[in-house]
Amino acid sequence: MPAITFIHPDGKSEHVETSGGESVMQAATRHGLDGILAECGGNAMCATCHVYVDESWLARLPAVAGDEDALLDGTAAERLPNSRLSCQINITPELDGLVLKLPERQV
Amino acid sequence: MTASGTPASTGPASVPHLDVDPFDMAFFADPYPTHQRLREAGPVVYLDRWNVYGVARYAEVHAVLNDPATFCSSRGVGLSDFKKETPWRPPSLILEADPPAHTRTRAVLSKVLSPTVMKQVRDRFAAAAEERVDALLDQRSFDAITDLAEAYPLSIFPDALGLKPEGREHLIPYASVVFNAFGPPNELRQQAIARSSPHQAYVAEQCQRDNLAPGGFGACIHAQADAGAITATEAPLLVRSLLSAGLDTTVNGIGAAVYCLARFPEQWQRLRDDLTLARNAFEEAVRFESPVQTFFRTTTREVELSGATIGEGEKVLMFLAAANRDPRRWDQPDSYDITRRTSGHVGFGSGIHMCVGQLVARLEGEVMLTALARRIARIEITGEPKRRFNNTLRGLDSLPVTITPA
């Protein structure tokens, strides 16, 4: 199953094994990862599962949809060109090894 | 039966029948034993009292919420089926609508209540919470429902909407009618509707563009009509949604949080030790108390749900509160734990109809609990809490408390 590496703001990295048919947010919360809040539970409403995608992976992700784009303007930490909402990234085998940085804060 | 191709084992006959009325006073006084009965009876049950299907486990509640094509909202999210009965008021364009109509109106309210807008109102909401705590510290002994859970949202939300100062006393009674009306034709519903005309008249009037101050949420909705996202006749009805669902819900949410923190002093102490827990303390109270207890859906086709076959045109009652305490989903579901990972609870619903004002609710809850915990050492319940009875909302009518300053 694809694995994802999350890098915390203090530089520590955390490895999360994922299972099929879930989003990055779901994998992170199931793993108990600190730093992903997901207050709305994955309904693309709250912008509290914000991540920064490692540059080398950016082009391999599906494009940002309109809803997600608007929500990203409301993230607590600064929006950067590589900002995404992890609830909108569905895990596929091609994403094995994905590297995501966590923002300083989600609210 | 065989001639129509429907096996005899399907339909209401194949699911457990329960003789419980989830809308009577005895149930409201203590719903938890019945919630457990409903969950344990099976994934899908049938309630003979109102001839409806019910789901009380987390998995099925979540599944129904997330399949709006099968479990629709346009036939009403209360017991009344809009295909068979005339609704008591013109249907909501968002709550009581399905895609594609819903998608358009939903986008408008999502924009008006977005995370970006919350950043803009945060300081104002936080300052009002501090002012409320100033007043409470002067009082020392007060009713935590009237003087806190109601007073705080009333001090910010009508202004944020842009309402005129006159007539605001209709707001909570109007919301109470709306939430009672989702229930069956019991005394609560009949009396609420019978007394609703002055509240309805007030609300209809305030939804008009001329009565909404520039810059408020209401004016922003009307501005969306200028932009072509909705029509000018739709805008007032969308403002009505905020008037219906934006105040009494947060009153009950904040009331629930204060009631929890007053009952569980060790959680209050944890919050005082780490104020960053305030937002989750509110969220956990929404899971634990579930201010919105239930909603209905109506099936658009015959559907199989966890082994039960439900025919077309059937009402399905979702017990959000029971799902939020389903031991299949939650560890120690009956404990209020402000450090719990609350993501996924259905206190705000889930899916396309998930509470569009959830960010407002969380903001109000967070800044209020932060202000309380920073300046108050202890909250003591000093009298018998009194429950307020409503077909959909769970909350208190009165909670006498005495506070000790920090």
Side-chain angles (χ1 to χ4, degrees):
Chain A
M1 282 294 160
I4 300 171
T5 301
F6 290 92
I7 300 173
H8 289 276
D10 66 3
K12 281 198 192 110
S13 59
E14 197 167 342
H15 203 63
V16 172
E17 295 287 338
T18 70
S19 52
E22 63 181 353
S23 67
V24 169
M25 178 282 283
Q26 285 168 326
T29 50
R30 208 171 32 76
H31 181 81
L33 184 96
D34 283 332
I36 296 282
L37 268 184
E39 284 179 342
C40 80
N43 288 283
M45 289 203 58
C46 71
T48 64
C49 64
H50 180 201
V51 292
Y52 299 117
V53 179
D54 186 88
E55 303 291 345
S56 65
W57 282 92
L58 206 50
R60 284 184 267 180
L61 296 182
V64 176
D67 289 3
E68 184 184 352
D69 189 39
L71 283 168
L72 282 167
D73 284 337
T75 52
E78 189 188 359
R79 178 181 183 170
L80 298 174
N82 59 338
S83 284
R84 292 297 303 261
L85 295 183
S86 58
C87 72
Q88 299 302 301
I89 305 172
N90 286 316
I91 294 164
T92 55
E94 299 78 56
L95 294 186
D96 185 32
L98 177 66
V99 179
L100 302 168
K101 286 181 193 142
L102 292 164
E104 286 283 349
R105 54 201 210 99
Q106 295 285 6
V107 288
Chain B
M1 290 296 263
T2 45
S4 68
T6 311
S9 62
T10 61
S14 67
V15 303
H17 284 234
L18 272 82
D19 179 30
V20 300
D21 182 359
F23 299 100
D24 80 4
M25 298 297 173
F27 173 82
F28 293 146
D30 183 12
Y32 301 108
T34 309
H35 282 161
Q36 189 178 347
R37 258 185 81 197
L38 289 161
R39 280 191 304 258
E40 296 314 311
V44 179
V45 299
Y46 195 81
L47 304 178
D48 292 316
R49 177 70 182 87
W50 301 111
N51 290 317
V52 295
Y53 287 86
V55 286
R57 294 182 186 175
Y58 180 86
E60 282 72 25
V61 168
H62 192 266
V64 169
L65 285 168
N66 282 280
D67 184 1
T70 306
F71 301 96
C72 80
S73 292
S74 60
R75 289 171 73 169
V77 296
L79 178 68
S80 172
D81 183 350
F82 292 178
K83 205 169 169 180
K84 299 174 184 159
E85 284 179 79
T86 307
W88 71 279
R89 60 169 191 173
S92 162
L93 298 179
I94 179 163
L95 182 73
E96 293 153 341
D98 296 325
H102 167 269
T103 313
R104 201 166 44 85
T105 50
R106 171 80 189 194
V108 167
L109 288 194
S110 293
K111 191 176 281 184
V112 171
L113 303 172
S114 71
T116 310
V117 174
M118 293 308 110
K119 281 185 183 175
Q120 294 156 8
V121 299
R122 171 177 272 274
D123 289 349
R124 206 179 342 136
F125 280 32
E130 294 292 341
E131 282 171 32
R132 184 84 313 255
V133 176
D134 288 340
L136 296 176
L137 283 168
D138 287 342
Q139 283 179 278
R140 293 292 177 92
S141 292
F142 54 87
D143 185 338
I145 301 304
T146 319
D147 301 325
L148 199 176
E150 287 185 0
Y152 173 59
L154 277 170
S155 75
I156 45 166
F157 191 69
D159 286 338
L161 255 163
L163 294 180
K164 291 193 295 194
E166 304 80 34
R168 291 180 178 186
E169 67 279 5
H170 287 288
L171 288 168
I172 288 180
Y174 179 73
S176 158
V177 179
V178 171
F179 284 97
N180 267 321
F182 296 127
N186 56 12
E187 201 180 320
L188 276 174
R189 182 177 199 266
Q190 308 304 64
Q191 287 203 355
I193 293 175
R195 294 173 188 162
S196 67
S197 25
H199 312 313
Q200 286 203 69
Y202 162 80
V203 164
E205 189 62 27
Q206 303 319 306
C207 292
Q208 301 306 314
R209 190 164 202 167
D210 290 347
N211 289 321
L212 294 159
F217 298 150
C220 290
I221 292 172
H222 280 279
Q224 289 290 309
D226 301 339
I230 43 171
T231 68
T233 49
E234 288 172 327
L237 270 179
L238 281 180
V239 176
R240 194 192 70 179
S241 291
L242 299 196
L243 289 170
S244 305
L247 192 66
D248 214 6
T249 47
T250 56
V251 166
N252 284 298
I254 292 168
V258 174
Y259 189 34
C260 285
L261 290 164
R263 267 179 299 169
F264 308 115
E266 76 291 348
Q267 297 297 316
W268 174 250
Q269 196 49 52
R270 283 171 98 171
L271 173 58
R272 295 206 63 227
D273 293 343
D274 180 2
L275 294 178
T276 66
L277 291 171
R279 197 168 168 99
N280 205 56
F282 176 75
E283 197 75 28
E284 168 70 346
V286 175
R287 179 200 70 85
F288 187 78
E289 286 288 341
S290 298
V292 176
Q293 293 271 295
T294 50
F295 266 126
F296 288 85
R297 293 290 188 262
T298 313
T299 52
T300 57
R301 59 176 175 89
E302 185 179 277
V303 58
E304 193 183 312
L305 179 63
S306 302
T309 305
I310 305 176
E312 185 275 334
E314 298 285 351
K315 283 282 175 181
V316 179
L317 176 57
M318 304 176 292
F319 289 90
L320 307 175
N324 277 342
R325 292 190 183 207
D326 182 356
R328 293 161 190 80
R329 171 63 176 79
W330 307 97
D331 290 332
Q332 299 197 304
D334 296 323
S335 299
Y336 174 72
D337 174 1
I338 68 169
T339 62
R340 181 191 299 275
R341 206 171 253 276
T342 50
S343 176
H345 78 78
V346 291
F348 290 112
S350 179
I352 65 166
H353 290 284
M354 190 181 188
C355 176
V356 77
Q358 59 182 280
L359 303 177
V360 181
R362 288 197 189 98
L363 177 58
E364 288 184 19
E366 176 194 347
V367 297
M368 193 68 235
L369 295 188
T370 304
L372 289 169
R374 200 164 53 74
R375 298 170 60 192
I376 294 169
R378 286 194 323 146
I379 304 178
E380 226 180 316
I381 300 176
T382 50
E384 193 61 38
K386 262 176 51 195
R387 193 150 289 287
R388 185 176 291 174
F389 294 101
N390 184 286
N391 278 330
T392 306
L393 297 174
R394 179 169 179 79
L396 295 177
D397 197 47
S398 149
L399 177 64
V401 297
T402 297
I403 54 173
T404 311

